[in-house]
Coordinates of all heavy atoms in Angstrom, one line a residue:
Y24 N 19.1 21.7 41.9 CA 20.2 22.6 42.2 C 21.0 21.9 43.2 O 20.4 21.4 44.3 CB 19.5 23.9 42.7 CG 20.5 24.9 43.2 CD1 21.5 25.5 42.3 CD2 20.5 25.4 44.6 CE1 22.5 26.3 42.8 CE2 21.5 26.3 45.0 CZ 22.5 26.8 44.1 OH 23.4 27.6 44.5
D25 N 22.2 22.1 43.3 CA 23.2 21.6 44.3 C 23.8 22.9 45.0 O 24.7 23.4 44.3 CB 24.2 20.7 43.7 CG 25.1 20.1 44.7 OD1 25.1 20.5 45.9 OD2 26.0 19.3 44.4
P26 N 23.4 23.2 46.3 CA 24.1 24.4 46.9 C 25.5 24.2 47.1 O 26.3 25.2 47.2 CB 23.3 24.5 48.2 CG 22.0 23.7 47.9 CD 22.4 22.6 47.0
Q27 N 26.0 22.9 47.2 CA 27.5 22.7 47.5 C 28.3 23.0 46.3 O 29.4 23.7 46.5 CB 27.8 21.2 47.8 CG 27.0 20.7 49.0 CD 27.5 21.5 50.3 OE1 28.7 21.8 50.5 NE2 26.6 21.9 51.2
T28 N 28.0 22.8 45.1 CA 28.7 23.1 43.9 C 28.2 24.3 43.2 O 28.8 24.7 42.1 CB 28.8 21.9 43.0 OG1 27.3 21.5 42.7 CG2 29.4 20.6 43.6
R29 N 26.9 24.7 43.6 CA 26.2 25.8 42.8 C 26.1 25.4 41.4 O 26.3 26.2 40.4 CB 27.0 27.1 43.0 CG 26.8 27.8 44.3 CD 27.5 29.1 44.3 NE 27.1 29.7 45.7 CZ 27.7 31.0 46.1 NH1 28.4 31.7 45.2 NH2 27.3 31.4 47.2
I30 N 25.6 24.2 41.1 CA 25.3 23.8 39.7 C 23.8 23.7 39.7 O 23.1 23.0 40.5 CB 25.9 22.4 39.5 CG1 27.4 22.5 39.5 CG2 25.4 21.8 38.2 CD1 27.9 23.4 38.4
F31 N 23.2 24.4 38.7 CA 21.7 24.3 38.4 C 21.5 23.5 37.1 O 22.3 23.7 36.2 CB 21.1 25.7 38.2 CG 19.7 25.8 38.0 CD1 18.7 25.4 38.9 CD2 19.2 26.0 36.5 CE1 17.4 25.4 38.6 CE2 17.9 26.1 36.3 CZ 16.9 25.8 37.3
Q32 N 20.6 22.6 37.1 CA 20.5 21.7 36.0 C 19.0 21.5 35.6 O 18.2 21.3 36.5 CB 21.1 20.3 36.3 CG 21.0 19.3 35.1 CD 21.6 17.9 35.5 OE1 22.9 17.9 35.8 NE2 21.1 16.8 35.5
T33 N 18.7 21.5 34.3 CA 17.4 21.2 33.8 C 17.4 20.0 32.9 O 18.2 20.0 31.9 CB 16.9 22.4 33.1 OG1 16.7 23.5 33.9 CG2 15.4 22.2 32.5
D34 N 16.7 18.9 33.2 CA 16.6 17.8 32.2 C 15.2 18.0 31.6 O 14.1 18.1 32.3 CB 16.6 16.5 33.0 CG 18.1 16.1 33.4 OD1 19.0 16.8 32.8 OD2 18.3 15.2 34.1
R35 N 15.1 17.9 30.3 CA 13.9 18.1 29.6 C 13.5 16.8 28.8 O 14.4 16.2 28.1 CB 14.0 19.2 28.5 CG 13.9 20.6 29.1 CD 14.2 21.7 28.1 NE 13.5 21.6 26.9 CZ 12.2 22.1 26.7 NH1 11.6 22.7 27.6 NH2 11.7 21.9 25.5
Y36 N 12.3 16.4 28.9 CA 11.8 15.2 28.3 C 10.6 15.6 27.3 O 9.6 16.1 27.7 CB 11.2 14.2 29.4 CG 12.2 13.7 30.5 CD1 12.5 14.6 31.5 CD2 12.8 12.5 30.2 CE1 13.4 14.1 32.5 CE2 13.7 12.1 31.2 CZ 14.0 12.8 32.3 OH 14.9 12.4 33.2
L37 N 11.0 15.4 26.1 CA 10.0 15.8 25.0 C 9.1 14.7 24.7 O 9.5 13.6 24.1 CB 10.8 16.3 23.8 CG 11.9 17.2 24.0 CD1 12.5 17.6 22.6 CD2 11.3 18.5 24.6
L38 N 7.8 14.6 25.1 CA 6.9 13.5 25.2 C 5.9 13.6 24.0 O 5.4 14.7 23.6 CB 6.3 13.3 26.5 CG 7.2 13.3 27.8 CD1 6.4 13.2 29.1 CD2 8.1 12.1 27.7
R39 N 5.4 12.4 23.6 CA 4.3 12.4 22.8 C 3.0 12.8 23.6 O 3.0 12.7 24.8 CB 4.1 11.1 22.1 CG 5.3 10.7 21.2 CD 5.1 9.4 20.4 NE 4.0 9.5 19.4 CZ 4.2 10.1 18.3 NH1 5.3 10.5 17.9 NH2 3.1 10.3 17.4
Q40 N 1.8 12.9 22.8 CA 0.6 13.5 23.5 C 0.2 12.6 24.6 O -0.2 12.9 25.7 CB -0.4 13.7 22.5 CG -0.2 15.0 21.8 CD -1.4 15.4 20.9 OE1 -2.5 14.8 21.0 NE2 -1.2 16.3 20.1
S41 N 0.3 11.2 24.3 CA -0.3 10.2 25.3 C 0.6 10.2 26.6 O 0.0 10.1 27.7 CB -0.4 8.8 24.7 OG 1.0 8.5 24.2
A42 N 1.9 10.2 26.4 CA 2.8 10.3 27.6 C 2.7 11.6 28.3 O 2.7 11.7 29.5 CB 4.2 10.0 27.2
M43 N 2.5 12.6 27.6 CA 2.3 13.9 28.2 C 1.0 14.0 29.1 O 0.9 14.5 30.1 CB 2.3 15.0 27.2 CG 2.6 16.4 27.8 SD 4.2 16.6 28.4 CE 3.9 18.0 29.5
Q44 N 0.0 13.4 28.5 CA -1.3 13.4 29.3 C -1.2 12.6 30.5 O -1.7 12.9 31.6 CB -2.4 12.8 28.3 CG -3.8 12.9 29.0 CD -4.1 14.4 29.3 OE1 -4.0 15.2 28.6 NE2 -4.7 14.6 30.5
E45 N -0.4 11.4 30.5 CA -0.2 10.7 31.7 C 0.6 11.6 32.7 O 0.2 11.5 33.9 CB 0.5 9.4 31.4 CG -0.3 8.4 30.7 CD 0.6 7.1 30.4 OE1 1.6 7.0 31.0 OE2 0.2 6.3 29.6
A46 N 1.5 12.3 32.3 CA 2.3 13.0 33.2 C 1.4 14.2 33.8 O 1.5 14.4 35.0 CB 3.6 13.7 32.5
R47 N 0.6 14.8 33.0 CA -0.3 15.8 33.6 C -1.3 15.3 34.5 O -1.7 15.9 35.5 CB -1.0 16.5 32.3 CG -0.2 17.3 31.5 CD -0.8 18.0 30.2 NE 0.0 18.8 29.6 CZ 0.1 18.9 28.2 NH1 -0.8 18.2 27.5 NH2 0.9 19.7 27.6
T48 N -1.8 14.0 34.3 CA -2.8 13.5 35.2 C -2.0 13.2 36.5 O -2.5 13.4 37.6 CB -3.3 12.1 34.6 OG1 -4.0 12.4 33.3 CG2 -4.3 11.5 35.6
A49 N -0.9 12.6 36.4 CA -0.1 12.4 37.7 C 0.2 13.7 38.5 O 0.2 13.7 39.7 CB 1.2 11.6 37.4
R50 N 0.5 14.7 37.7 CA 0.8 16.0 38.4 C -0.4 16.6 39.0 O -0.3 17.4 40.0 CB 1.4 17.0 37.2 CG 1.6 18.4 37.8 CD 2.5 18.5 39.0 NE 2.7 19.9 39.4 CZ 1.8 20.5 40.2 NH1 0.7 19.8 40.7 NH2 2.1 21.7 40.5
G51 N -1.6 16.3 38.4 CA -2.8 17.0 38.9 C -3.3 16.2 40.2 O -4.1 16.8 40.8
E52 N -2.6 15.2 40.6 CA -3.0 14.5 41.8 C -2.5 15.0 43.0 O -2.7 14.6 44.1 CB -2.6 12.9 41.6 CG -3.4 12.2 40.6 CD -2.9 10.9 40.4 OE1 -1.9 10.4 41.0 OE2 -3.4 10.0 39.5
Y53 N -1.6 16.0 43.0 CA -1.0 16.6 44.1 C -0.9 18.1 43.9 O -0.8 18.7 42.9 CB 0.4 16.0 44.5 CG 1.4 16.2 43.6 CD1 2.3 17.4 43.7 CD2 1.7 15.4 42.4 CE1 3.4 17.7 43.0 CE2 2.7 15.7 41.6 CZ 3.6 16.9 41.9 OH 4.6 17.0 41.0
S54 N -0.9 18.8 45.2 CA -0.7 20.2 45.2 C 0.6 20.4 45.9 O 0.8 20.0 47.2 CB -1.8 21.0 45.9 OG -3.0 21.0 45.2
P55 N 1.7 21.0 45.3 CA 2.8 21.1 45.9 C 2.8 22.0 47.2 O 2.1 23.0 47.2 CB 3.9 21.9 44.9 CG 3.1 21.6 43.6 CD 1.7 21.5 43.9
P56 N 3.5 21.7 48.4 CA 3.3 22.6 49.5 C 4.1 23.9 49.3 O 4.9 24.1 48.5 CB 4.1 21.8 50.6 CG 5.0 20.8 49.8 CD 4.3 20.5 48.5
A57 N 3.6 24.9 50.0 CA 4.2 26.3 49.9 C 5.4 26.4 50.7 O 5.6 25.6 51.6 CB 3.1 27.4 50.3
C58 N 6.2 27.4 50.4 CA 7.4 27.5 51.2 C 7.1 27.9 52.6 O 6.1 28.6 52.9 CB 8.2 28.8 50.6 SG 9.0 28.5 48.9
G59 N 7.8 27.4 53.5 CA 7.7 27.7 54.9 C 6.7 26.6 55.5 O 6.7 26.5 56.9
V60 N 6.1 25.7 54.9 CA 5.3 24.7 55.5 C 6.2 23.6 56.1 O 7.2 23.3 55.5 CB 4.4 24.0 54.4 CG1 3.5 22.9 55.1 CG2 3.4 25.1 53.9
G61 N 5.9 23.1 57.2 CA 6.7 22.2 57.9 C 6.9 20.9 57.0 O 5.9 20.3 56.4

């Protein structure tokens, strides 16, 4: 999202199972911080 232009964009990547599993593994390695955290 770009607050200056107010453009919201979604890029979608349709992956095969092996690539999707790699992405899920990488995503599982971190926990996104909550709003308001420094």
Side-chain angles (χ1 to χ4, degrees):
Y24 178 63
D25 184 354
Q27 298 295 324
T28 60
R29 286 187 173 176
I30 294 296
F31 179 74
Q32 178 174 309
T33 298
D34 285 351
R35 282 172 50 86
Y36 300 81
L37 309 180
L38 306 180
R39 298 187 67 85
Q40 286 189 10
S41 56
M43 195 67 203
Q44 188 56 48
E45 289 183 12
R47 287 175 179 142
T48 300
R50 172 61 182 82
E52 293 176 358
Y53 69 88
S54 296
C58 291
V60 175

